[in-house]
Amino acid sequence: MKRWRLIKERRLRGWTQEILAQKINITISMVSMIENGSRNPSLKTAFSLARLFGIPTDELFANTDSNKKERD
């Protein structure tokens, strides 16, 4: 399942996956896999992303209907 909130927050800031990867010191392919749901982030990465976006970790990675509506 795609991480729509993560994608949305990255795009709102005008960041590419490469820029996001550099900001939290992970690979571009890891950003892609996290966003498309094929990999889960480590706790360290999840906390880094949440802190970077200023969003609680559970909200950033929640699998809820509200996240689904945000992508539409």
Side-chain angles (χ1 to χ4, degrees), residues 20-38:
L20 178 56
Q22 290 172 352
K23 287 185 176 292
I24 62 167
N25 198 31
I26 63 173
T27 64
I28 299 166
S29 62
M30 181 57 75
V31 171
S32 177
M33 290 185 286
I34 293 168
E35 286 186 351
N36 72 32
S38 64

Side-chain angles (χ1 to χ4, degrees), residues 4-5 59 61-71:
W4 296 111
R5 179 76 188 266
E59 288 182 26
F61 295 102
N63 179 16
T64 65
D65 288 342
S66 64
N67 280 346
K68 183 178 176 184
K69 290 176 188 173
E70 288 178 6
R71 71 176 178 186

Side-chain angles (χ1 to χ4, degrees), residues 24 34 40-51 57-58 61:
I24 62 167
I34 293 168
N40 288 319
S42 67
L43 286 175
K44 179 182 175 184
T45 298
F47 291 141
S48 293
L49 288 165
R51 188 171 41 255
T57 308
D58 60 334
F61 295 102

